Amino acid sequence: MTKSNVFSGMRPTGKLHLGHHSVLENWVKMQEEYNCFFGIVDWHALTTGFDNTEALQENIYNMALDWLSVGLDPEKSAIFIQSHVKEHAELHLLLSMITPISWLERVPTYKEQIYQFGLAGKDIAAYGFLGYPVLMASDILVYRATDVPVGEDQLPHLELAREIVRRFNHLYNTDVLVEPQAKLAKIKLLPGIDNRKMSKSYGNYIALNAATEDILDKVKQMVTDPGRIHKDDPGDPTKCTVYTYHTFYNQEEAAEVCANCKAGTTGCVACKKRLAAKIDAFIAPIREKRAYYSEKPEEVKEILAAGAEKARKEASKTLSLVKDAMNI
């Protein structure tokens, strides 16, 4: 049976953290069912970070290391840098010719992010930011991906891609482009150590390659039940970020942790040390594999080059069909 194509990507804007792991874990599983194309989307990083590119190459390389360390397999998937596959840009240009501006202005994140960045004193209302949903659509459509792993917050972008497909196929009386379907993964969201959304901008994350001492330091900062003043006071695990993390990384002992917290038989310091050890054990093999690839930068470059070649081979087929349909 022929496998369907899947595309997904991430912007290289900084360190990956435990909040990214559930997404990457889903990608690893998808490698067995689909022809997967995973892009480090560096052009997308420019839509809001156009004025600060000094760390871009370092971020790209580190993202490649993180992806390989969690189990993305270059033998099973094309792992590549977006800008190394020029077909993404060409399809973006062609599709921008048929995409109404009003469609882009109604994308929920457009005005929202312009407002948020404006509060920080930065104007991002550039052509590239307005058109980034078309580039995102091109990333997907250039592989004629049938399925796209997305979170619910990305559904409006995917629906725009589907609208572009319908408009293109109608205008040129063709079925060249495929309407991608959302593949919503049942992924539990991990909060930051302060119980807010985990975010690099908040600094409330644990890096995917965190060292043992860094893990312990971050866990020590975790928010616990504010009503629990003394070590033997009964606590409420539902108000404790430490317990939430136990349900992710210490599932076999989570019920015991919960009972001990409610009974006041285990103090918060001991509970945090127990959690830190579990997280460290989880990260250890990722850290080890990352160290292996860190010592082999040429191998990483070869993997990315081979992934780009594989991606270009597939993308060029789509672009040829698109250009034929447009009589170009």
Side-chain angles (χ1 to χ4, degrees), residues 12 42 45-46 48-60:
D42 51 339
L46 299 177
T48 57
F50 53 83
D51 58 339
N52 184 17
T53 61
E54 289 83 358
L56 183 57
Q57 291 305 313
E58 181 182 357
N59 289 341
I60 289 170

Side-chain angles (χ1 to χ4, degrees), residues 145-187:
T146 57
D147 297 87
V148 184
V150 292
E152 290 190 5
D153 60 326
Q154 294 175 308
L155 288 176
H157 292 103
L158 189 60
E159 182 53 35
L160 176 63
R162 290 160 56 81
E163 287 181 323
I164 291 173
V165 169
R166 291 192 286 268
R167 181 170 170 83
F168 181 91
N169 287 348
H170 173 72
L171 282 173
Y172 301 109
N173 191 28
T174 184
D175 60 358
V176 164
L177 295 183
V178 177
E179 286 192 43
Q181 304 299 317
K183 190 171 179 64
L184 289 168
K186 295 180 180 179
I187 295 172

Side-chain angles (χ1 to χ4, degrees), residues 36-285:
C36 293
F37 297 86
F38 296 125
I40 299 173
V41 288
D42 51 339
W43 282 330
H44 282 294
L46 299 177
T47 57
T48 57
F50 53 83
D51 58 339
N52 184 17
T53 61
E54 289 83 358
L56 183 57
Q57 291 305 313
E58 181 182 357
N59 289 341
I60 289 170
Y61 180 66
N62 281 320
M63 179 166 281
L65 292 179
D66 285 333
W67 285 9
L68 293 169
S69 68
V70 300
L72 289 190
D73 187 345
E75 296 297 321
K76 298 177 181 178
S77 303
I79 303 169
F80 62 96
I81 300 169
Q82 179 193 35
S83 64
H84 292 186
V85 183
K86 306 305 182 187
E87 286 79 2
H88 286 242
E90 189 169 359
L91 184 59
H92 169 226
L93 175 63
L94 295 175
L95 295 182
S96 71
M97 302 300 180
I98 69 162
T99 304
I101 291 175
S102 60
W103 288 10
L104 301 175
E105 290 176 331
R106 76 175 188 228
V107 172
T109 53
Y110 176 64
K111 290 182 179 178
E112 178 186 327
Q113 288 200 36
I114 284 179
Y115 175 73
Q116 292 297 331
F117 275 89
L119 291 177
K122 182 174 181 179
D123 182 7
I124 61 169
Y127 170 79
F129 183 69
L130 176 66
Y132 86 84
V134 184
L135 177 57
M136 188 179 295
S138 301
D139 295 335
I140 299 164
L141 302 181
V142 80
Y143 300 106
R144 297 206 282 173
T146 57
D147 297 87
V148 184
V150 292
E152 290 190 5
D153 60 326
Q154 294 175 308
L155 288 176
H157 292 103
L158 189 60
E159 182 53 35
L160 176 63
R162 290 160 56 81
E163 287 181 323
I164 291 173
V165 169
R166 291 192 286 268
R167 181 170 170 83
F168 181 91
N169 287 348
H170 173 72
L171 282 173
Y172 301 109
N173 191 28
T174 184
D175 60 358
V176 164
L177 295 183
V178 177
E179 286 192 43
Q181 304 299 317
K183 190 171 179 64
L184 289 168
K186 295 180 180 179
I187 295 172
K188 291 170 65 180
L189 292 179
L190 186 69
I193 61 174
D194 56 2
N195 212 34
R196 291 187 294 173
K197 177 182 177 181
M198 188 178 290
S199 170
K200 286 172 282 192
S201 61
Y202 294 154
N204 62 351
Y205 64 89
I206 297 176
L208 204 53
N209 67 326
T212 300
E213 57 272 21
D214 293 331
I215 294 169
L216 181 57
D217 180 60
K218 290 283 189 175
V219 172
K220 284 180 178 178
Q221 299 176 48
M222 283 187 181
V223 175
T224 56
D225 177 7
R228 193 176 185 192
I229 308 300
H230 303 102
K231 177 180 176 180
D232 53 358
D233 287 344
D236 183 352
T238 64
K239 297 178 181 178
C240 180
T241 306
V242 178
Y243 173 67
T244 301
Y245 273 69
H246 272 293
T247 65
F248 276 81
Y249 301 106
N250 188 19
Q251 293 179 11
E252 67 279 5
E253 297 175 359
E256 178 192 340
V257 169
C258 181
N260 289 342
C261 179
K262 288 180 177 179
T265 54
T266 300
C268 293
V269 173
C271 190
K272 286 182 174 183
K273 287 182 178 178
R274 189 176 186 179
L275 173 63
K278 291 292 183 179
I279 294 176
D280 188 51
F282 175 81
I283 286 180

